[in-house]
Amino acid sequence: MKRSNAIELGLTIPLQRHLHIKALPYSQEPNRRFCWDLHVILLRGRPSLLAVHCHTRYAFVLYDLSHPEWERLPNIFLDGLRLSLSAAGFPAEETKKLCGSELPLFARTHGRREVAFLNRAWGDVMAAELALDENSQSQPLLEQLVNAKLSRCAGIEGLDTAARRLTEMLSQI
């Protein structure tokens, strides 16, 4: 049974392979405001998590996750999301709206457009890699650079920053 406004984590095929997951269900969440697509990327040779919000293209990175952390991905995702939003200046009550009260569910990625914008966010992360702090798993400076860049996204028409789109979206929920 589908939970109301549950966070859904769409895992890319490379991330499914990395986690040794054979098959995932299709998305059940019609509201992309509660959907994220996740990808494993190499940053300075270390397996890292890239999470991209399907509606706004807000992105965050967790650098150099260990094997046990990958095994606890839903919890690690939520911790990373809270850290990212806090570092970006979002109030705790706004963060709670986006994090929900239950563990996220895994699903397939949320569509071609969403994955295309995830790939663009990945390119933005790689272009800003000089801002990577190898001494920290969370990457607030890198995220700030990526989320302040003018871009397009799957959920909202036009050119804007992911940070501004997320702020606007949170004011509506």
Side-chain angles (χ1 to χ4, degrees):
M1 184 172 162
K2 179 67 181 142
R3 302 174 301 173
S4 169
N5 292 337
I7 294 177
E8 249 183 22
L9 304 178
L11 308 184
T12 62
I13 291 171
L15 180 53
Q16 290 176 48
R17 283 190 202 118
H18 185 75
L19 298 174
H20 306 290
I21 295 174
K22 297 283 185 221
L24 287 173
Y26 286 100
S27 171
Q28 297 296 308
E29 179 58 64
N31 188 344
R32 292 292 191 256
R33 288 173 170 86
F34 299 98
C35 298
W36 294 77
D37 282 337
L38 308 184
H39 190 46
V40 58
I41 62 173
L42 286 180
L43 288 171
R44 301 206 179 138
R46 308 303 305 165
S48 304
L49 176 69
L50 172 63
V52 180
H53 188 242
C54 292
H55 188 71
T56 64
R57 204 182 118 172
Y58 183 87
F60 72 89
V61 173
L62 292 174
Y63 175 67
D64 192 17
L65 293 181
S66 67
H67 182 72
E69 288 170 323
W70 285 109
E71 289 179 347
R72 298 183 309 105
L73 187 55
N75 289 315
I76 295 299
F77 165 83
L78 288 173
D79 292 345
L81 178 58
R82 288 183 192 105
L83 282 169
S84 177
L85 294 175
S86 176
F90 286 93
E93 56 274 5
E94 298 291 309
T95 301
K96 284 180 187 175
K97 290 180 188 178
L98 205 52
C99 290
S101 59
E102 299 180 44
L103 278 180
L105 302 171
F106 288 155
R108 294 181 185 199
T109 52
H110 292 91
R112 278 194 224 159
R113 287 190 76 212
E114 288 84 350
V115 171
F117 288 115
L118 176 144
N119 286 330
R120 289 190 182 161
W122 181 11
D124 293 343
V125 166
M126 298 312 289
E129 188 182 4
L130 285 174
L132 181 73
D133 178 358
E134 291 185 57
N135 296 313
S136 176
Q137 202 168 52
S138 64
Q139 297 295 318
L141 180 57
L142 178 63
E143 294 165 10
Q144 181 183 12
L145 292 170
V146 170
N147 291 317
K149 184 177 179 184
L150 286 175
S151 63
R152 297 188 187 285
C153 69
I156 303 167
E157 292 301 316
L159 203 58
D160 204 349
T161 68
R164 221 177 355 247
R165 286 190 295 259
L166 185 64
T167 300
E168 178 66 25
M169 186 205 80
L170 286 171
S171 74
Q172 296 171 1
I173 7 182

